Amino acid sequence: MVFNINQKALNSAFAINTDGSIIPLKLVTQKENFRVEALAHLDLFHNYFYNIDASNYERNLEKALWLGNSSVDNLYRQKKADGVYNRLLQYSLVQKVLSIDSRITENDGAYSFTTTTIFEINRGSIIDTYELISTGNLMTVDRNFPNNPHGLLITNYFENTLKKLNNEN
C-alpha cells in the first residue's frame, strides 16, 4: 500500500498558479532534457573558448576548461604555446563569436557532436571572419554550479577545420 501511494505521489505533482488554479506537473527524466542541456553546454563552451579579447580571455578560458576534459586543456596549452593569447594581448585583438551550430548524435548511449562556430577577429581596421568545425564526445558527470551547470563533460575535443570566409557579400 505504501509503495502504491509513493508511486501515485511521484506521478501526481501539482503547483498552484497565481490565480489559485491547480496546474498538474509532469516528472521529466534527465534523458528527456539531455539534448537541450547538451546544446546549451556546447553553446556555453564555444562562447567561453572562442569569444575572447585582451580583457576577458583568462576568465573565459578558465570557465571553458571546467566544461571539458584534458583534450580541451591540451588544445588550450597548444594555443598558448603557439602564442595565440600573446598575439591577442599584443595587438589588442577582439575575437567575437557570431554563431554556434551544434549537431548531436547518439550511438548506443554514447553522444558525439559536431559544432560549426562562426567568429570574427577584429584587428582594428581589418575584420576577418572564420568558420571552425570541431568535434568531440559528451559524457555525463556530476553537476557543479556554477562551474559545470549542465553536468556534462566534453571529451575527445578536436578542431577539425578552420577556414577564412570571404567577407564580400
Side-chain angles (χ1 to χ4, degrees), residues 19 48 52 64 147 151 155:
D19 65 1
Y48 283 150
I52 55 176
N147 297 321
T155 63

Side-chain angles (χ1 to χ4, degrees), residues 79-92:
K79 286 177 176 281
K80 189 173 183 177
D82 291 344
V84 170
Y85 306 117
N86 284 339
R87 284 191 297 279
L88 188 78
L89 293 170
Q90 185 177 1
Y91 300 110
S92 298

Side-chain angles (χ1 to χ4, degrees), residues 102-117:
S102 297
R103 290 175 306 286
I104 299 166
T105 54
E106 179 186 4
N107 187 9
D108 293 332
Y111 294 91
S112 60
F113 67 88
T114 300
T115 300
T116 302
T117 306

